[in-house]
Amino acid sequence: MSVKLSKESIQKTAKDLPIPQVHFFEEIDSTNEYALKLAGEQAEEFTLVIAERQTAGRGRQGRRWVTTPGTSLAFTLILKPGEPEVDHLGLFSLLGGLAVCQTIHKFCAVDAQVKWPNDVLLENKKTAGILAEACWQGERLAGVVLGIGINLMPGSVPPPDALLFPATCVQAHCSRDVNRLDFLIAVLGEVIHLRRTILENAFLEEYTRHLAFIGEQVRLSGRSSESVSGVLSGVDGNGQLLLQMETGEQESFPIGDLHLRSGEDNKITD
Ligand code: BTN
């Protein structure tokens, strides 16, 4: 269902959530860019930046992210990792994907999967992308911004020739009408809930339960480095991907400039 979003409607519907401020834009360059500025100015945890349209929405690995007004969601939450969490920043990148999976399950009773680190897939097609970025002020971490882009309605799915990866939208997998405002508030609630559990085993267990290609042969490739192959066995306490190598050793790979592909090379591309 295409519902008009506004600062007032979001604030009213999210009144039970600890969101200190809502910055709503009909159009902005990138909600992540704006949130990074706010994080550098001491914005509080769970400050929300949301826009109907982004003129320079960004995705992982320098790619663009297109947001179609009225049919998708594009927003960023500011998070403020505490002392023990700073050594586990990789986990913040996983948070958004898991929150979207859980919201889809609540709304549509279907199991979405996360393609590590945080693309959300429905039947192997991408329905949401997450970009977590840290705001450093010298040695000090001022915050992490968690940007979430979700294709909700059919109009939000870009044409196939504009895609590197097959895409879908939540509504295509849901027998009930998906209301944008309700879906937004539910994702925000999930992020806020999960954020509190980020260092607990239960967080990683739940993430792993949604992890795509577990037990399958996958290939990781970086822009500059050679690719590595192994059987995907999970993620570690820093959010790094664990692969069982041919040697029998388990190795971990950091979130970074990596592409994950399933064994069938062209089934999944990043
Ligand atoms: C990806 O799949 O490559 C990540 C896409 C992340 C898109 C979201 S939309 C809201 C936030 N603002 C941005 O500029 N990017 C993120």
Side-chain angles (χ1 to χ4, degrees):
M1 199 189 297
S2 183
V3 176
K4 187 99 185 83
L5 298 180
S6 65
K7 179 174 174 157
E8 293 67 35
S9 67
I10 295 167
Q11 275 175 329
K12 193 170 160 208
T13 320
K15 66 179 181 335
D16 295 331
L17 296 177
I19 294 179
Q21 274 198 305
V22 176
H23 298 259
F24 176 83
F25 298 90
E26 287 295 340
E27 185 174 293
I28 196 174
D29 49 1
S30 154
T31 55
N32 265 30
E33 188 61 32
Y34 193 83
L36 281 168
K37 254 181 261 152
L38 291 178
E41 294 161 6
Q42 318 303 324
E44 284 176 68
E45 171 138 290
F46 302 137
T47 295
L48 174 67
V49 182
I50 177 161
E52 278 289 7
R53 183 194 299 271
Q54 297 185 108
T55 53
R58 50 186 193 234
R60 293 183 61 234
Q61 293 154 357
R63 287 195 287 267
R64 283 192 64 211
W65 181 266
V66 176
T67 304
T68 34
T71 60
S72 49
L73 287 171
F75 59 95
T76 303
L77 269 177
I78 295 177
L79 305 175
K80 311 283 273 190
E83 200 55 57
E85 294 167 336
V86 174
D87 294 333
H88 302 270
L89 284 188
L91 294 175
F92 283 84
S93 204
L94 312 184
L95 184 59
L98 181 53
V100 174
C101 283
Q102 294 194 330
T103 307
I104 290 175
H105 193 263
K106 278 194 181 150
F107 268 70
C108 313
V110 294
D111 283 325
Q113 289 190 302
V114 196
K115 175 172 160 268
W116 180 85
N118 48 25
D119 282 354
V120 178
L121 309 181
L122 278 164
E123 294 177 12
N124 275 333
K125 293 183 190 152
K126 180 162 170 172
T127 192
I130 282 93
L131 180 65
E133 298 181 272
C135 173
W136 290 98
Q137 292 181 323
E139 298 282 286
R140 197 183 78 85
L141 180 69
V144 168
V145 305
L146 185 66
I148 302 183
I150 308 172
N151 299 335
L152 268 190
M153 314 297 164
S156 61
V157 182
D161 58 348
L163 291 171
L164 285 168
F165 189 89
T168 187
C169 64
V170 175
Q171 184 65 79
H173 303 260
C174 210
S175 51
R176 65 179 254 208
D177 273 354
V178 179
N179 173 306
R180 272 201 317 149
L181 182 58
D182 291 346
F183 197 90
L184 167 72
I185 303 304
V187 180
L188 294 172
E190 289 294 335
V191 172
I192 289 167
H193 167 72
L194 287 168
R195 190 256 170 281
R196 301 198 167 112
T197 68
I198 202 159
L199 292 185
E200 293 173 12
N201 285 341
F203 174 80
L204 273 189
E205 281 163 16
E206 192 56 15
Y207 177 84
T208 308
R209 230 174 49 73
H210 287 86
L211 194 55
F213 315 128
I214 201 140
E216 288 183 35
Q217 183 78 24
V218 296
R219 187 158 67 81
L220 273 181
S221 62
R223 233 177 275 168
S224 48
S225 55
E226 281 180 19
S227 64
V228 288
S229 297
V231 174
L232 198 158
S233 51
V235 287
D236 71 9
N238 285 320
Q240 305 197 109
L241 190 74
L242 295 172
L243 294 187
Q244 191 80 33
M245 312 304 282
E246 255 179 23
T247 57
E249 297 283 307
Q250 181 161 267
E251 286 187 28
S252 59
F253 297 89
I255 295 172
D257 193 16
L258 292 169
H259 301 250
L260 173 66
R261 288 162 186 254
S262 74
E264 285 169 67
D265 234 0
N266 52 11
K267 189 167 111 193
I268 293 292
T269 57
D270 195 15

